[in-house]
Each structure stands twice: as C-alpha cells, then as structure tokens.
Amino acid sequence: MKIVIFAVLLAVASAKKFSVEKSGNTCAMLVLSGKVDATASNGTQDLGSMSLPFDSATLIADSNCTLIKLNLTSSVEVWFQLDGATAGAQQIQPIAKFTPVDVFPKVNETADVVFTADAFGSFSTNQSFLCKASVDHAFTTQQVTPVNFTLQATTDQLQIQFGNIVNGSFSSDTSECDQDKTSTPQPTSTAAPTTVLPPQQDISLNVTNGNVTCILMKGFFTISVTFEDTVAGKKVNRTGDLNIPADAVASGNCTLNATVESMQILFGNGWELDFLFSKDVSSSDDTSVSISEISVTYNTAAFKAASPVTKNVTMEKKGGFLKTNLGGYYQCNANSTCIDESGVKLTTTDFKYQAFRTKSDGNFYGSIAECPADEETSSVVPIAVGAALAGLVLIVLIAYLIGRRRSRKSGYESV
Ligand SMILES: *[C@@H]1O[C@H](CO)[C@@H](O)[C@H](O)[C@H]1NC(C)=O
Ligand SMILES: *[C@@H]1O[C@H](CO)[C@@H](O)[C@H](O)[C@H]1NC(C)=O
Ligand SMILES: *[C@@H]1O[C@H](CO)[C@@H](O)[C@H](O)[C@H]1NC(C)=O
Ligand SMILES: *[C@@H]1O[C@H](CO)[C@@H](O)[C@H](O)[C@H]1NC(C)=O
Ligand SMILES: *[C@@H]1O[C@H](CO)[C@@H](O)[C@H](O)[C@H]1NC(C)=O
Ligand SMILES: *[C@@H]1O[C@H](CO)[C@@H](O)[C@H](O)[C@H]1NC(C)=O
Ligand SMILES: *[C@@H]1O[C@H](CO)[C@@H](O)[C@H](O)[C@H]1NC(C)=O
Ligand SMILES: *[C@@H]1O[C@H](CO)[C@@H](O)[C@H](O)[C@H]1NC(C)=O
Ligand SMILES: *[C@@H]1O[C@H](CO)[C@@H](O)[C@H](O)[C@H]1NC(C)=O
Ligand SMILES: *[C@@H]1O[C@H](CO)[C@@H](O)[C@H](O)[C@H]1NC(C)=O
Ligand SMILES: *[C@@H]1O[C@H](CO)[C@@H](O)[C@H](O)[C@H]1NC(C)=O
Ligand SMILES: *[C@@H]1O[C@H](CO)[C@@H](O)[C@H](O)[C@H]1NC(C)=O
C-alpha cells in the first residue's frame, strides 16, 4: 500500500511545466510527465533502442504561442503544435524528430527523421485540455530511410493551453480526454496461457553422405514462439511451445562446400528448423566446429491462432553458436536456451551434436565440449568435497593449538 502511494506521488512529482512567454505574459503552457521510446532496426538486426523521460526535457527557445518545442536530448525533440483549424475544436498535433547518428551509435545516418502522431484533444480557445490517464502516441514517418525507426511517446498528467492564460495558471474550464471519462482503471491485458504441444520426446537426427553419418544430433527440443493474436476481440500476445516430435524428418547436405554442412528438420505442419555447421580453419592448431546459423520457420496455426502466420527467423552469431573441436562433439544436459530472438526461443535438454563426422555408426566420438550450465552442476560435488576437506584441516589446526596451549600452561605451573 505504502509503495503504491509513493509511486503515485512520484508520478505527480515528476510532471514538468513548460511556459512560453510573449511580452511578459504566458501565452502557451504545458505540464506533462511520461517518456519517449524509439528503436532502430534494419529488418534483420536490432540496432538499438532508447527511452527518454519528459521530466528531463527543456523548452526550446524558438517555441511560440502556437508551438511548444521540447528538447529531450541534444537531438531528440517533441513538438506540441496547436491545430486550430476548427475554432471551438482545437487539437494538438504531436511532431517528433531526431538525428539518427546522435541517438543510435550503430546507425550512421545524419539526416533528421521527422515523425508525426495522430492529433488529439478537442477544446475551445478559452479552455485548457487535460488528460490524467496514461496515453500512448504512436508516431510514424513518411521518410524512407535505410534503417527502420519506431517512435512512441507516452504522456501522463498532460495539461496544455494556448492563449487566454491568466496569471500563469490554466483556465479552470477544462476539456478532459476520453480516456479520463472512462476512468475505471483499464485491466492490463492478461497474458494468455502458454499453449504446449506435444509432450517432450527424445529425438535423434542424422544426415548421411554415402556410408558416412556426417551429422548427428539428439536431445529434447522446445521452440517457444510469442505472437500477436486476437482473443475475444482483443489483441493479445500469446506464447506457444512446440516440442519437436519424434517423427521429425532430417535431411541435409554434407558437401555444401569444404567448410559448411547443413541440416534441415521438418515437423508439425510447415515448421522447420535449419542449421548450418561451419568448420573454422583459421585457428592455427585446433580446428573448431560451430553452428554458424540457426533458422526457425513456424506456423501459428499449430496454436490455433485466429489469423495464422508463417514466419522465418534466422539467427547468426559471429564466431558461431555451441563451439566444439573437429572430431569431437558438443554436449549440454541442462535445460539451456540456445537462441532467444525476435519472439523465438529454442531450448534444448540432454542435447548433443557432432558435425563433420567421418564414421558411419550412430555413436558420438572424440573429445566433449560441455556447456557452462553443465560445468556449474558438475562442479557442485568437487566444491562440496573441497569445503569438507578445508573444514577438517581447520578442526585439526584448532585442536593442535588448544593442545599446545594446554601443555604450555601446565609447563609454567610445574616450574
Ligand atoms: C543489418 O545490419 C547488420 C549489422 O550492421 C548487417 O550485418 C546486416 O547485413 C544488415 N542487414 C541489412 C538487411 O541491411
Ligand atoms: C522496414 O519495415 C517494413 C515494415 O515492417 C519492412 O517491410 C521493411 O523491410 C523494413 N526495412 C528495413 C530496411 O528494415
Ligand atoms: C511558430 O513557429 C512556427 C515554426 O517555427 C511557425 O510556422 C509559426 O508561424 C509560428 N507561429 C507564430 C504564432 O509565431
Ligand atoms: C538541446 O539540449 C542540448 C543539451 O542537452 C543542447 O546541446 C542542444 O543544443 C539543444 N537543442 C536545441 C534545439 O535547443
Ligand atoms: C558514415 O557515412 C559516411 C558518409 O556516408 C562515411 O564517410 C563514414 O565512413 C561512415 N561511418 C561509419 C562508421 O560507417
Ligand atoms: C506484443 O508484444 C510486442 C513486442 O513486445 C509489443 O510491441 C506489442 O504491443 C504487444 N501487443 C500486445 C497486444 O500486447
Ligand atoms: C550439396 O551441395 C552441393 C553444392 O551446392 C551440390 O553440388 C550437391 O548436389 C548437394 N548435395 C545434395 C545431396 O543435395
Ligand atoms: C561455403 O558456403 C557458405 C554458405 O553458403 C558460405 O558462406 C561460405 O563462404 C562458403 N565457403 C567456401 C570456402 O566456399
Ligand atoms: C529461412 O530464411 C533463411 C535465411 O534467409 C533461409 O536460408 C531458409 O531457407 C529459410 N527457410 C524457409 C523454410 O523458408
Ligand atoms: C527442463 O524443462 C522442462 C520444462 O520446461 C522440465 O519439465 C524438465 O524437468 C527440465 N529438465 C531439466 C533437466 O531441468
Ligand atoms: C565407406 O565406403 C568406402 C568405399 O565403399 C570405404 O572405402 C570407406 O572405408 C567406408 N567408410 C566407412 C566409414 O565405412
Ligand atoms: C539416421 O536416421 C535414420 C532415419 O531416422 C535412421 O533409420 C538411421 O538408423 C540413422 N542412422 C544412424 C547412424 O543413426
């Protein structure tokens, strides 16, 4: 309870006031709290995100009686422009802009990107517009940029007025937003329960090339997918877990080229899990093998989505995933998440893989590269034994010291 009250006080306390003066009188005024969030991505890769609070914004000097410009950092600006086209029904047009290179270190674009969001409010010239509810403003841009940017502002405690401001305070005649009128706290969309299909099964997969079983993989595999769905007319994010079934079919190519082998695993209805295995011959003594690319194709029809979609998510990592030595294999018994990206998560248990094999049988051979999660589990026993030994040494040492003291004491007494 105390925490809730504290949080409310904080929210109120962080609303900030901005006023535009004209010949000594306030002609435009804005109070708000909230934040601006932006992201950058080039379609395949997340190139960064940022979140800036309005309470650290400053008023930009060239604001005027119909346009309040806020400076959130050196380059991010949010403007509240009076759209007074229809007198008696004035609106606010939000505008935002930033210089990508100043905001996202990974983005090398110097041209400003300008965004607009839907105009909001409806108030007459002698009213102030008030919105206590938290409102999201989704901004869009018409500019075509090599990198995709998203921008969203959230305003809480917003109050704004243009003109007719007496003694620097808002008009008591306020027009309040619709969100405040239906002010029963809106239930946060409860996450739909996770759908799990079918039970987990230990699966064994292989790719052969003539009489050689060049790739072997086994374990329990779960693919978790987060997707947007419509439930009872409402948009919700659902999660579905699909355990790869034992009847999954593997195929592949072990002669793609000298350093790359591939494996495709087909299962469910239109699902696919693809791996590319790479041999890194650049390291001088030990040649390593790793998974250089993982690609998941899923179909949300499996989870009875209202409008099923098929999506393909590909993940690459510099240096590869799950590295092992050539001639050896990778093992991870623990429940371990190998990838978690773009709403797709691949989890394995009792997992093993070996690529670039030269034997025909179905047994893993050679040295083992074990995942860190297994090392932690297996180091519990040595640590316990070590601690017990240290304890023993301590006890012996104390016993010895006490013994020595006693014998000394008795020595003095006898003198
Ligand atoms: C996205 O950016 C990454 C890293 O900058 C780059 O490797 C990748 O090729 C880019 N993809 C596209 C489609 O531009
Ligand atoms: C930008 O987003 C649109 C729509 O989501 C997508 O079609 C397009 O490929 C994206 N472009 C880049 C460069 O990411
Ligand atoms: C306020 O500034 C904007 C742009 O800087 C300009 O278009 C507009 O005419 C100005 N309005 C007034 C009342 O000065
Ligand atoms: C915004 O503020 C930064 C300092 O945080 C300043 O360097 C920059 O010039 C300001 N921009 C404008 C348009 O006032
Ligand atoms: C950014 O782009 C400019 C001009 O296109 C180029 O000269 C510069 O080397 C680029 N910088 C980086 C880090 O890519
Ligand atoms: C679903 O999640 C995405 C990404 O986190 C978010 O942008 C979107 O608003 C969420 N949709 C719903 C209905 O919660
Ligand atoms: C494997 O890929 C190589 C190179 O693309 C191709 O020549 C060969 O036919 C493929 N083998 C199989 C079994 O698909
Ligand atoms: C082998 O194929 C992969 C993927 O098709 C490619 O990225 C790589 O450069 C190729 N390597 C050689 C040595 O041809
Ligand atoms: C998914 O995308 C990857 C990379 O673009 C591609 O190699 C793979 O074949 C695609 N899988 C499917 C089933 O379309
Ligand atoms: C792995 O996770 C599954 C469910 O996610 C659970 O049933 C199983 O016991 C876990 N196994 C281990 C070894 O933790
Ligand atoms: C595969 O067959 C070839 C020719 O039949 C033979 O030379 C080779 O030893 C065999 N390899 C294995 C691993 O059995
Ligand atoms: C490879 O997979 C096939 C089909 O599941 C199976 O019949 C065969 O025994 C497997 N080979 C090895 C060496 O495990």
Side-chain angles (χ1 to χ4, degrees):
M1 195 58 202
K2 269 184 189 158
I3 293 168
V4 171
I5 291 167
F6 183 61
V8 168
L9 284 177
L10 260 184
V12 173
S14 67
K16 192 166 173 179
K17 186 171 178 175
F18 306 93
S19 328
V20 179
E21 310 281 325
K22 190 186 176 191
S23 45
N25 293 315
T26 304
C27 67
M29 196 157 76
L30 167 66
V31 168
L32 88 166
S33 65
K35 63 184 169 61
V36 173
D37 294 299
T39 67
S41 117
N42 70 358
T44 56
Q45 201 171 9
D46 183 4
L47 297 172
S49 61
M50 61 103 185
S51 184
L52 299 167
F54 279 117
D55 62 3
S56 60
T58 54
L59 186 74
I60 295 174
D62 71 349
S63 297
N64 64 34
C65 298
T66 61
L67 177 62
I68 299 175
K69 293 185 181 180
L70 303 184
N71 180 1
L72 280 83
T73 68
S74 57
S75 100
V76 181
E77 295 181 15
V78 176
W79 301 358
F80 296 84
Q81 185 169 37
L82 178 67
D83 177 356
T86 354
Q90 302 184 109
Q91 286 202 303
I92 310 293
Q93 171 63 61
I95 298 166
K97 77 179 204 35
F98 61 76
T99 316
V101 69
D102 293 343
V103 179
F104 301 106
K106 288 187 196 161
V107 178
N108 186 14
E109 276 181 50
T110 50
D112 284 356
V113 186
V114 179
F115 297 80
T116 56
D118 288 344
F120 62 90
S122 172
F123 54 110
S124 63
T125 46
N126 51 10
Q127 282 183 317
S128 74
F129 175 74
L130 175 64
C131 201
K132 290 185 251 177
S134 177
V135 178
D136 289 337
H137 306 267
F139 284 76
T140 56
T141 182
Q142 301 304 317
Q143 277 165 262
V144 178
T145 50
V147 169
N148 272 355
F149 299 106
T150 66
L151 192 144
Q152 172 169 304
T154 306
T155 56
D156 312 307
Q157 301 286 323
L158 179 140
Q159 188 162 15
I160 193 164
Q161 186 169 354
F162 291 98
N164 299 310
I165 296 169
V166 182
N167 295 332
S169 25
F170 286 116
S171 162
S172 55
D173 183 1
T174 60
S175 162
E176 203 153 348
C177 63
D178 294 340
Q179 287 87 345
D180 283 1
K181 287 169 194 161
T182 57
S183 72
T184 39
Q186 297 187 350
T188 47
S189 64
T190 45
T194 301
T195 308
V196 182
L197 298 165
Q200 280 206 315
Q201 285 177 294
D202 196 0
I203 64 169
S204 289
L205 305 157
N206 69 65
V207 179
T208 56
N209 177 27
N211 58 359
V212 173
T213 306
C214 48
I215 302 171
L216 264 187
M217 189 182 272
K218 74 177 292 300
F220 297 84
F221 299 77
T222 302
I223 298 176
S224 301
V225 174
T226 304
F227 59 101
E228 221 168 29
D229 197 13
T230 309
V231 176
K234 270 194 182 157
K235 281 209 160 155
V236 292
N237 278 331
R238 286 179 57 196
T239 302
D241 284 2
L242 188 120
N243 294 315
I244 300 187
D247 65 2
V249 176
S251 62
N253 187 334
C254 289
T255 54
L256 214 51
N257 64 30
T259 56
V260 178
E261 294 185 347
S262 70
M263 176 157 83
Q264 289 88 43
I265 308 163
L266 302 176
F267 51 93
N269 226 330
W271 285 58
E272 185 172 333
L273 175 60
D274 299 342
F275 294 98
L276 282 187
F277 303 92
S278 294
K279 196 153 64 167
D280 180 8
V281 289
S282 64
S283 50
S284 51
D285 22 313
D286 285 330
T287 304
S288 67
V289 169
S290 64
I291 300 178
S292 49
E293 193 179 299
I294 303 175
S295 141
V296 174
T297 303
Y298 63 85
N299 185 338
T300 57
F303 307 118
K304 302 201 160 43
S307 17
V309 290
T310 299
K311 251 191 173 162
N312 179 347
V313 174
T314 300
M315 281 135 291
E316 289 170 81
K317 192 165 118 183
K318 207 171 176 208
F321 301 94
L322 319 183
K323 189 178 269 188
T324 179
N325 282 333
L326 180 66
Y329 62 98
Y330 181 91
Q331 173 169 312
C332 194
N333 295 319
N335 265 4
S336 148
T337 299
C338 19
I339 55 167
D340 188 357
E341 234 182 89
S342 312
V344 175
K345 199 159 104 178
L346 174 65
T347 309
T348 60
T349 309
D350 288 339
F351 174 77
K352 281 194 183 88
Y353 91 85
Q354 184 167 29
F356 298 97
R357 288 166 47 93
T358 53
K359 295 189 181 176
S360 58
D361 64 18
N363 302 319
F364 291 88
Y365 61 84
S367 62
I368 308 175
E370 190 100 32
C371 63
D374 283 1
E375 305 277 352
E376 274 162 32
T377 329
S378 58
S379 63
V380 168
V381 172
I383 288 171
V385 170
L389 275 178
L392 211 65
V393 167
L394 205 69
I395 288 167
V396 169
L397 200 69
I398 290 168
Y400 166 76
L401 289 174
I402 291 172
R404 226 171 79 142
R405 246 189 166 179
R406 279 216 182 131
S407 63
R408 266 199 197 169
K409 239 183 184 174
S410 55
Y412 284 126
E413 271 166 9
S414 69
V415 169

